[in-house]
Every structure is written in structure tokens, then in C-alpha cells.
Amino acid sequence: MEEEKEKIQFELTAELIEQVQGFVESQNDKELQKLLKEFHYADIAEILDELNLEEAVYVIKLLDSETTSDILMELDEDNRERVLKNLTAKEIAEEIEELDTDDAADIIAELPEERQQEVISKIEDEEHKEEIRELLTYEEDSAGGLMAKELVKVYETWTVAGCMRRIRGQAKEVTRVHSIYVVDKQEKLIGRLSLKDLIIAKSDQKIADIAKDNVDYVNVTDEAEEVARIMSKYDLEAIPVVDDKQTLLGRITIDDIVDVLKEEADKDYQLAAGITGDVDSDDTILELTRARLPWLFLGLIGGVGAFLIMEGFQEAFGKYAVLFFFTPLIAAMAGNVGVQSSAIIVQGLANDDVKGSINSRLLKEMLLAALNGFILAIFLFLFVWGIKGEVNTALAISVSLVAVIIVAGLIGTFVPLFLDKRGIDPAIATGPFITTSNDIFGILIYFWIAKMILGI
Amino acid sequence: MEEEKEKIQFELTAELIEQVQGFVESQNDKELQKLLKEFHYADIAEILDELNLEEAVYVIKLLDSETTSDILMELDEDNRERVLKNLTAKEIAEEIEELDTDDAADIIAELPEERQQEVISKIEDEEHKEEIRELLTYEEDSAGGLMAKELVKVYETWTVAGCMRRIRGQAKEVTRVHSIYVVDKQEKLIGRLSLKDLIIAKSDQKIADIAKDNVDYVNVTDEAEEVARIMSKYDLEAIPVVDDKQTLLGRITIDDIVDVLKEEADKDYQLAAGITGDVDSDDTILELTRARLPWLFLGLIGGVGAFLIMEGFQEAFGKYAVLFFFTPLIAAMAGNVGVQSSAIIVQGLANDDVKGSINSRLLKEMLLAALNGFILAIFLFLFVWGIKGEVNTALAISVSLVAVIIVAGLIGTFVPLFLDKRGIDPAIATGPFITTSNDIFGILIYFWIAKMILGI
């Protein structure tokens, strides 16, 4: 058990990395293998992510392909790409042979077009090869792109005893048996069974009699997000995938869905922060610039818009310079309220719990914004009045603030709902997009109302 | 299969809700039962979430407790609270009897203190009662708070045949058998088995011989987030929970982890948008105000800070009113850059892939911000120069912009890293917090540099 304690408490220390680098440098294969044998493949992947390319390739070539195929799957995508470039097509094919079809297809899909065929042709297991070829034909973000061909399938006419005997063979190839799928002679999915049901049943019972016929499934063309929604709503750990004729094609397991959910959450989070594309903090400065600059440019345009508005009101500056000093406050409040209201709608849409009409949403947000705005305006009024002693100016600024907050809340609520109705991902509406448009509208409304109240 | 197609394509329509309401009103129990029988409990929960309290309670009391216990678990937390208030302690106890221990404990924990004991005392199954009592003693966000007592356990000394016989009994109580846990005489966890291993093994083999001794586990006091990290890193679908003496206490399944991950992502997303507390779009205006107002208040204080700075520079810039017209632009850029850089760090920290020293992070962000800033400054320079024809002013504004962007990026990078080192959730550093501080610093830096360049 001592070994196990280490596994859970695995920590990526500088010493450990140095130790591995030392063994690689001195080509001390025996010690290196002994050291790495202790670790889970996910941990070894973490170590390799810290090595340079040459060292990482050395380790990959040293270990057996059963371990290294799993390590490859866990590497950072960029690092995997670099490592694969340094392996021959034959070596990659050997890794592929060890992987389940879904992972195998994912790795091959990452290779450059011309290498894909070369690697596939080097796969020895003909069935594996054909299955991978099939999986590569599906869209990446579809049920077909997520599914694996490995599953346990039985025919309805079999007996429990016969079934047990035959699935012993099938099960060896399947890492985790979640469900046993029951098909008819035409390979159509007609039910499911758990291993537990099989163990509890009498050995002479017919599969058709003990199978559950309420089996959830998805179509091979369904979107990954939809599959994730169904699996998490119905608490499924695996779901079979069928074609339009109900033919059983594969199955999707919950671990793939965990990845889909994580990616979705990451993407929405980044969009809200004004970052496009799937970047992480370890990407290059150029990649990060490409993800960040367009949104900053949008902000720049918004700022120029605000400048033009303020210049339009320039004449008022002489007497009421103080109005201009509050524009950053107005812009900030408009932006913050917009982001808050859009974020809550985007999240509600993602979790599928935004119900009721757009109008009732807008009414609710208006009341909410009015309440928040009123409370904030009281403080602002007291501050301006106290510091400037001008009731009118204080009133003009506070009343405008309430109006700006209400409009900002309405825009923040309306835009994502509108985009969603149009079939556009509402997540793009949060962050810089809402902030920028609210800055401009906010400042415009602010000066209009202030002008009216002050009678400029 | 027809029935099934409906299940997957379940859609919550106004007609369906009206139909249910009609049956409730006319107390047409037979038709109501017939209608609802077609649906999955998660779908029925969606319907109930749309009914008023009286109608929902009517449906709950009509259906058998095996179905309604699952429905209860799927209801909106607020609706569940209201429904439970309308059930007697005895009725709640009947629901509880049907639930797995982890769900049962979660429901009881939501009840008011005084009702908890009353409900527990009404549970008839003594073992279930004791197990729930035990689970209630653990922290909600710990492994103990997530785990269920239901699991399949075998002793190392058993044979495969004996094991099969005995687990037939245990397995009936466990919805999904992920792993069979092997313990020694002292109930210490020493290994695991899959049902598959058991089926493949010969019936006279000893469990000790076929069990895998590399079993991952967590301690009952470990944090939920840590459990989620381990389970998703090592791709586990269930993990056993032990105490300090390695005694097997329970197990956690992947569906609970999916919920933990979702909640975490939702919380981070809301924090980034300036919303605290776990609210959704259907909460009351008062709840939403409580979640949103504090952050807006922070923004108000930031805006007041910006006002004070601008007022301080009023005299200096009598001649350069145009400078003031660019403060919303400067504030927006400082805010956007700060949010971008902090979001990427917060996400990296959450995914555990921020490596290297703080200094190297800051250096990278500085280069990135300088690059972005330089590109944006060129556009701004050309715009101001073109529209105003004053090279000095254009230069002052653009150079300040670069400086502001660099400082904003550094603050956005440093603050979450600093908070994380201090053991504070870095997610609070994104959104309004960073925006507000960057607004103030940004405007201050902007005026300083502009003053220097213009030689005022």
C-alpha cells in the first residue's frame, strides 16, 4: 500500500524533474524505468510536460507502448504535437494499437493530413484500423466524434449463460463495462443490461426477458453539447450511439463528457473575459495576442466613441467640468451592470433554465437595475452634494446614474437572449462586447439627462 | 422503442404543463399517473418546477415514493425547500428510505435543524438511519459530504465463487457497481476488483490473488475540489473513501463530481462577472440584489476615486480638455487588459497548469501587454493626430496608453497569483475587483505621463 500512498500524493517537484533529467542525460535506462514505474501515466505526462522535447522523446521511446500511449493522451496538446513529429509513422501506429478507438482517432486527427494515411496504413490490427477510419469520418464536436467502438453487445435471443460465456471475450477489450447493449438480428439497439443484472439473473433465462427496453441513446450526428446535456440530466455514465436506422454504432462514456463540460466552461469563461480561441497561460505571446487583441481593439473603438460623444458636449465643459470627471464612473457602472446581467442570462441559457418570455425577463431586470441604481445614486448624490455643494449638479449626476444602470441592465439582458434566439452563442455577448456598447450608451445617456436637468 | 424516442426528445411545452395542471385541477389521478409514467423523473422534475406549490405537492403525493424521491433530488433547490415544508416528517422519511445515503443526507441537511431529528427518527430501516446520521457529521464540501455508504465490499480471503454468491445480495442495493472493494479482516481497504475481473476469473481462485492492489482512494476529510481533481486527472468513475486508519467508509461516484465541477465553474464565472453567492436568473430581485450590489458599490468607489484624480489634474489641463475626453478609453483598456490577464491566470490555477515562477509570468505578461499596447497605441496616435492635428497631444495619449496597458496586465497577473499563494480563492480577483483597481491606476498613470510629455 505504501506505493499507493505516493500515487495519490504525487507532487511535481523540481527535484523529481531533475532526477528524471539526470537519468536521461546519463542514459541510465534501468533506474529511469524503475523510477517511472511507480507513477501513474497521468503523473508521468506531467513530468514530460516539464522536460525538453529531446528528453521527452527519449522517455517515450524507452517505456513500453502500453504505458506511453496513455501518457501521450494526457500530454499538453502542443507538447504532444511536438513529440509525435519526432516519432516515425510506425512508432505512432504502435501507440495507436494500444489505445481505445476514440482516443486513437483523436490522436490521428491531430496529425497533418498527409501523415494520417501513413500512420493508419501501419496499424496491424485490421478491425482497429477500420474502426478508426470510420470514427475519423464524423465531426469532432458530434456524438460520432466522441464515441468509441469498444462496447459489449449481446443478441436478444441468447441465454444468460451463453451471454456470460461470450461477453468474457468481448469484455477483455473494453476497459470499463458500463452497460451491455442488446441488439436484434439487424444490429438494431433494442435494450440494455448491466453486468449486475446478468449476475443476479438465472443462467437459463433469455436475454430478451431480462433486458431493460428503456434505453437512452443519441444519434451519431447529435452535437457534443447536446450529448453532455442528456447524460448529465439523466445521470448516465455511458450512452449508446445509433444511426438513423437505430443501428448500434458505438458508445460514449462519462469521462469524455467531463472533458466536454470542462472545455465549454473554459470557453465561456474566456469569452466573458475577452479572450477568444482555446488558449492557456503557457501558450506563446503571439498566440495570446491573437486571442486578446481583437477584443482590446473593440474596447479602443468604444473609447473613441466615448471621446466623440464627450467632445460633442465640450461646450458644457467650461461651466460643468465636474460632469466630465464622472464619466469613468458612469462607464464603469454601465459596464459592470451589463456584465452582471448578461452573465446571469448566459449561464441560465447554458444550464437550460431560462424560462418565460423575454418581456418578463426584461421587466425583472429593469426592476432589479432600478433598485440597485437607486441605492447607488443616493450615495453618489450625497457625495457630490457634500463635496461640491451644488444640489443641481448632484441631482443631474445621480438621476443619470439610475437611468444608465437601467439601460445597461436591459441591454445586458436583451442581447444574449436575442443572440440565443438567432442561434448564435450568447457567451460572446458578455465581457468586452457588453462593456463597450454600454460604455458608449451610458455616457451618451448620462450627458443627455444631465443636460436636460441642468438646462445647458 | 417509441416510448423511448419521446424520452430523449422530451420538451417542456406550455401545452404539457397545462395538461398536467388540468388533471390536477380536476383531480383526474388516473390520467395524470398514466401521463407522467411515460416520463423520466428528471423530466417530471422540470414539469413540477413550472407548477405552483399546491399543484406540485399534489403530484408528489400522488406518485409512489420510489419515483418522487428521485424527482425531489432533481427539483430546483428553492422549490424543493417549499415542497418539503408541505410534507410531514413521516412523508419525508418515506422519500428518504428510497434514496441512496448520499442523496438522503443532502436532503436532510437542507431541512431546518429542528426538523432534521424528527425526520431521521421516522426512518424505519435502522441501518439506513445510522448511515445517514454518520454522513451528516461530515463537512458538506469534503469527501465525507460527497460519499455514499452503498458499495460492494468483499474480504480478501473469499473465493471467486463465494464472492459472486455474496455480492449478489450486496449489489441489489447498489445502483451502479463500479468497483468491488477488497478489505482485510480489520475492514482496511487493500485492493479492488471490477465485476469484469470477477466474471473472467476462475471460480475457485482466491480474491487476494485476483485483486488489484493499486487502488486510488481519498481521505474522508479531503476537500471536494481535491477529490474532483484526482478523479478527473486519473479518469476514475468511482473512488473509495477511507479514514486515517485506512478503514473503508464509503465511495464517491463520478456523477457527484460532475456536479462539483459544474458548481465550481458556475461560481468562478459569476465571480468574474461580479456576482457573489450561488444565484440564478430565477431567484428573487432581493436575492439578486444582494449578489450584485456589493460589486457595483466597489465600482462606485472606483469611479469616485477616478473623479478625485481627474479633479486633481483640473488646473493643469485647462488647456488640454481633450485629455479628459479619453479617460473612459483609458479606463476601459486598463479594465479589459486586467480582466484578460487575470482570467487566464485564474483558469490556469484552477486547471493546475500554472508552472514556473511569478517573475517569469510577470515578464511574459509585460511583453504581451507591451506588444498589444504598442499596436493599439499606433491606431490611437493616428486617430488623435488626424482629428486634432497636435502631435504632442497624440503622443502623450498613446504613450500613456502603452504604459497603462502594461501596468494593468501586471496587476491582473500578480493579484490572482498573490491571492493563490495566500490561500485565497483567486477567482475573486477577476471582474469588478481588477476592473476597479485598474481604472484608478490607469487614469492616474495616464495623467502623470501625459503631464510629463506635455511638460505642464
Side-chain angles (χ1 to χ4, degrees):
Chain A
M1 294 312 306
E2 281 313 299
E3 208 176 300
E4 271 327 291
K5 278 205 172 139
E6 274 178 51
K7 183 186 283 182
I8 290 263
Q9 288 157 10
F10 173 80
E11 225 186 309
L12 191 66
T13 58
E15 291 75 43
L16 178 61
I17 295 165
E18 275 167 33
Q19 203 182 355
V20 172
Q21 286 173 322
F23 288 147
V24 170
E25 210 183 336
S26 60
Q27 307 204 352
N28 192 342
D29 295 355
K30 228 172 99 186
E31 283 300 313
L32 187 55
Q33 273 171 322
K34 208 175 116 192
L35 174 69
L36 295 179
K37 226 185 101 188
E38 307 246 323
F39 299 122
H40 189 279
Y41 59 79
D43 297 326
I44 302 180
E46 278 191 5
I47 298 173
L48 294 198
D49 276 332
E50 297 303 304
L51 301 183
N52 69 36
L53 179 60
E54 226 171 294
E55 292 162 343
V57 171
Y58 186 89
V59 175
I60 294 273
K61 292 199 177 181
L62 175 70
L63 302 179
D64 62 87
S65 55
E66 202 177 325
T67 316
T68 52
S69 58
D70 288 329
I71 295 174
L72 274 179
M73 284 308 297
E74 297 288 327
L75 282 184
D76 259 12
E77 209 178 310
D78 304 345
N79 288 335
R80 180 165 56 234
E81 196 189 318
R82 282 189 278 271
V83 167
L84 289 178
K85 264 194 195 146
N86 280 273
L87 298 182
T88 64
K90 178 81 195 137
E91 282 167 333
I92 298 177
E94 276 166 19
E95 304 286 350
I96 298 285
E97 302 256 12
E98 297 293 335
L99 289 172
D100 280 352
T101 47
D102 54 342
D103 292 338
D106 288 347
I107 289 229
I108 291 181
E110 284 176 17
L111 295 173
E113 201 74 40
E114 63 279 11
R115 268 204 112 183
Q116 293 189 3
Q117 291 313 316
E118 201 189 337
V119 169
I120 293 176
S121 70
K122 294 263 161 47
I123 297 174
E124 282 172 11
D125 182 333
E126 284 301 323
E127 199 189 336
H128 205 56
K129 190 191 289 188
E130 274 323 301
E131 288 176 342
I132 292 170
R133 279 221 172 97
E134 180 199 332
L135 291 182
L136 285 171
T137 63
Y138 303 116
E139 291 287 328
E140 196 192 339
D141 288 333
S142 71
L146 285 177
M147 75 181 186
K149 298 296 289 180
E150 287 82 3
L151 50 78
V152 180
K153 183 176 76 179
V154 298
Y155 291 88
E156 55 172 339
T157 50
W158 291 359
T159 62
V160 168
C163 185
M164 288 285 259
R165 216 166 36 236
R166 300 206 199 183
I167 68 171
R168 283 199 177 107
Q170 291 184 36
K172 270 183 198 154
E173 280 175 23
V174 181
T175 325
R176 283 162 185 157
V177 181
H178 290 91
S179 273
I180 299 160
Y181 300 114
V182 183
V183 294
D184 65 12
K185 268 178 214 153
Q186 283 80 43
E187 305 284 330
K188 272 191 194 170
L189 176 71
I190 57 169
R192 69 179 171 91
L193 270 179
S194 68
L195 269 185
K196 197 184 90 182
D197 298 327
L198 216 52
I199 291 176
I200 293 172
K202 295 198 186 93
S203 60
D204 57 350
Q205 277 184 293
K206 273 262 188 306
I207 292 298
D209 297 333
I210 62 166
K212 302 187 182 85
D213 63 0
N214 64 336
V215 50
D216 292 306
Y217 56 85
V218 288
N219 190 287
V220 69
T221 57
D222 285 348
E223 277 180 33
E225 289 193 17
E226 176 65 8
V227 179
R229 199 189 62 78
I230 290 174
M231 289 186 73
S232 59
K233 177 174 172 186
Y234 296 118
D235 262 343
L236 306 174
E237 303 197 330
I239 197 164
V241 181
V242 300
D243 64 12
D244 292 338
K245 288 177 188 152
Q246 192 83 5
T247 319
L248 179 62
L249 294 180
R251 67 152 187 181
I252 296 170
T253 50
I254 185 82
D255 51 319
D256 297 316
I257 293 307
V258 169
D259 295 340
V260 170
L261 289 173
K262 262 193 175 170
E263 272 169 36
E264 250 182 80
D266 279 0
K267 197 192 69 185
D268 283 1
Y269 188 80
Q270 294 201 341
L271 276 176
I275 303 169
T276 35
D278 183 24
V279 291
D280 61 52
S281 54
D282 282 320
D283 282 336
T284 66
I285 288 183
L286 224 63
E287 284 167 326
L288 286 165
T289 297
R290 214 177 303 139
R292 287 167 56 163
L293 194 58
W295 294 105
L296 294 178
F297 207 80
L298 183 68
L300 190 76
I301 290 171
V304 166
F307 158 79
L308 293 173
I309 294 169
M310 288 166 80
E311 222 193 11
F313 287 94
Q314 191 171 10
E315 280 161 42
F317 191 75
K319 210 173 138 197
Y320 293 103
V322 62
L323 284 184
F324 291 83
F325 301 162
F326 278 107
T327 46
L329 183 145
I330 295 292
M333 299 310 281
N336 287 353
V337 170
V339 169
Q340 285 181 336
S341 52
S342 62
I344 220 157
I345 294 290
V346 167
Q347 198 164 59
L349 289 170
N351 294 339
D352 214 13
D353 58 35
V354 173
K355 287 144 198 162
S357 69
I358 289 195
N359 284 339
S360 69
R361 287 277 146 200
L362 290 176
L363 181 69
K364 185 177 178 185
E365 177 62 33
M366 205 175 84
L367 293 171
L368 178 62
L371 178 63
N372 282 337
F374 188 69
I375 297 171
L376 294 165
I378 290 176
F379 282 96
L380 190 61
F381 176 83
L382 293 175
F383 173 78
V384 179
W385 190 30
I387 208 164
K388 291 271 142 200
E390 298 168 24
V391 177
N392 274 352
T393 314
L395 200 67
I397 293 172
S398 332
V399 171
S400 323
L401 180 68
V402 179
V404 166
I405 286 180
I406 291 175
V407 173
L410 291 180
I411 294 176
T413 305
F414 178 75
V415 172
L417 287 173
F418 174 79
L419 290 180
D420 187 59
K421 286 245 168 201
R422 287 285 172 119
I424 302 167
D425 183 358
I428 64 158
T430 51
F433 183 83
I434 280 293
T435 320
T436 304
S437 53
N438 278 359
D439 275 9
I440 298 183
F441 279 111
I443 291 177
L444 196 59
I445 293 165
Y446 167 71
F447 278 110
W448 265 343
I449 295 185
K451 210 177 153 183
M452 274 196 299
I453 293 181
L454 296 172
I456 306 169
Chain B
M1 295 311 306
E2 280 314 299
E3 207 176 298
E4 271 328 291
K5 281 209 171 136
E6 275 179 51
K7 183 186 282 182
I8 290 263
Q9 289 157 9
F10 173 81
E11 223 186 310
L12 191 67
T13 60
E15 292 75 42
L16 178 61
I17 295 164
E18 275 167 33
Q19 202 182 356
V20 172
Q21 285 173 322
F23 288 148
V24 170
E25 209 183 335
S26 61
Q27 307 204 352
N28 192 343
D29 293 355
K30 229 172 98 184
E31 283 299 314
L32 188 55
Q33 273 170 322
K34 210 175 115 192
L35 175 68
L36 294 180
K37 227 185 98 187
E38 307 246 321
F39 299 123
H40 188 278
Y41 59 78
D43 297 326
I44 302 179
E46 279 192 4
I47 298 173
L48 294 198
D49 275 333
E50 296 303 303
L51 301 182
N52 69 37
L53 178 61
E54 227 170 291
E55 292 163 342
V57 171
Y58 186 90
V59 175
I60 294 271
K61 292 200 177 181
L62 176 69
L63 303 178
D64 61 86
S65 54
E66 203 178 323
T67 315
T68 53
S69 58
D70 288 329
I71 295 174
L72 274 179
M73 284 308 298
E74 296 288 329
L75 283 183
D76 258 12
E77 206 178 312
D78 304 344
N79 288 336
R80 180 165 55 236
E81 194 189 319
R82 283 189 279 270
V83 168
L84 289 178
K85 263 194 196 147
N86 279 271
L87 298 181
T88 65
K90 178 80 195 140
E91 282 167 333
I92 298 176
E94 276 165 19
E95 304 287 350
I96 297 286
E97 302 258 11
E98 297 293 336
L99 289 172
D100 279 353
T101 46
D102 55 342
D103 293 337
D106 287 347
I107 289 228
I108 291 180
E110 284 176 17
L111 295 173
E113 201 73 42
E114 63 279 12
R115 269 204 111 183
Q116 293 190 2
Q117 290 313 316
E118 203 188 336
V119 170
I120 293 175
S121 70
K122 294 264 161 45
I123 297 173
E124 282 173 12
D125 182 332
E126 284 300 324
E127 198 188 336
H128 205 55
K129 191 191 287 190
E130 274 323 300
E131 288 176 342
I132 292 170
R133 279 222 172 96
E134 180 198 331
L135 291 182
L136 285 170
T137 62
Y138 303 115
E139 291 289 327
E140 197 191 339
D141 289 333
S142 71
L146 286 177
M147 76 179 184
K149 298 295 289 181
E150 287 82 2
L151 51 78
V152 180
K153 183 175 77 178
V154 298
Y155 292 87
E156 55 173 338
T157 50
W158 290 1
T159 62
V160 168
C163 184
M164 287 286 259
R165 216 165 37 235
R166 300 204 199 185
I167 67 169
R168 280 195 179 108
Q170 290 184 36
K172 270 181 198 156
E173 280 175 22
V174 180
T175 324
R176 283 165 185 155
V177 181
H178 290 90
S179 274
I180 299 161
Y181 300 114
V182 183
V183 294
D184 66 11
K185 270 181 211 151
Q186 282 80 44
E187 304 284 329
K188 272 191 193 170
L189 176 70
I190 57 169
R192 72 182 169 89
L193 269 179
S194 68
L195 270 184
K196 199 184 88 182
D197 298 328
L198 215 51
I199 291 177
I200 294 172
K202 295 199 186 96
S203 61
D204 57 349
Q205 277 184 291
K206 272 263 189 303
I207 293 299
D209 297 332
I210 62 166
K212 302 187 182 81
D213 63 359
N214 63 337
V215 52
D216 291 306
Y217 54 86
V218 289
N219 190 287
V220 69
T221 57
D222 284 348
E223 277 181 34
E225 289 193 16
E226 176 64 8
V227 178
R229 199 187 62 76
I230 290 174
M231 288 186 73
S232 58
K233 176 174 172 188
Y234 297 118
D235 262 343
L236 305 174
E237 303 198 330
I239 197 165
V241 181
V242 300
D243 63 13
D244 292 337
K245 289 177 188 151
Q246 191 85 2
T247 318
L248 179 61
L249 293 180
R251 67 151 187 182
I252 296 171
T253 50
I254 185 82
D255 52 317
D256 298 316
I257 293 307
V258 170
D259 295 341
V260 170
L261 290 173
K262 262 192 174 172
E263 273 168 36
E264 249 181 81
D266 280 1
K267 197 192 68 187
D268 283 0
Y269 187 79
Q270 293 201 340
L271 275 177
I275 303 168
T276 34
D278 181 23
V279 291
D280 61 53
S281 55
D282 283 319
D283 282 336
T284 66
I285 289 183
L286 225 64
E287 285 167 323
L288 286 165
T289 298
R290 215 175 304 140
R292 288 167 55 164
L293 194 56
W295 293 105
L296 294 179
F297 208 80
L298 183 67
L300 192 75
I301 291 172
V304 166
F307 159 79
L308 293 173
I309 293 170
M310 288 165 80
E311 221 193 13
F313 284 94
Q314 188 173 8
E315 279 168 35
F317 291 122
K319 217 174 122 195
Y320 295 100
V322 62
L323 286 183
F324 290 90
F325 303 161
F326 279 106
T327 46
L329 183 146
I330 295 292
M333 299 311 281
N336 286 353
V337 170
V339 169
Q340 285 181 336
S341 52
S342 62
I344 221 157
I345 293 290
V346 167
Q347 201 166 55
L349 289 170
N351 293 339
D352 215 12
D353 57 35
V354 174
K355 288 144 200 162
S357 70
I358 289 196
N359 284 339
S360 69
R361 288 278 147 199
L362 290 176
L363 181 68
K364 183 175 178 184
E365 177 62 34
M366 205 175 83
L367 293 172
L368 178 62
L371 178 63
N372 282 337
F374 187 69
I375 297 171
L376 294 164
I378 290 175
F379 283 95
L380 191 61
F381 176 82
L382 293 175
F383 174 78
V384 179
W385 189 30
I387 208 165
K388 291 271 145 202
E390 299 167 25
V391 177
N392 274 352
T393 316
L395 200 69
I397 294 173
S398 330
V399 172
S400 325
L401 181 68
V402 180
V404 166
I405 286 179
I406 291 175
V407 173
L410 292 180
I411 294 177
T413 306
F414 178 74
V415 172
L417 286 173
F418 174 78
L419 291 180
D420 187 58
K421 286 245 169 201
R422 286 285 171 119
I424 302 167
D425 183 358
I428 65 159
T430 50
F433 184 83
I434 279 293
T435 320
T436 304
S437 52
N438 277 0
D439 276 8
I440 299 183
F441 279 112
I443 291 177
L444 196 58
I445 292 165
Y446 167 69
F447 280 113
W448 266 343
I449 294 185
K451 208 175 156 185
M452 275 195 298
I453 292 181
L454 296 171
I456 304 170

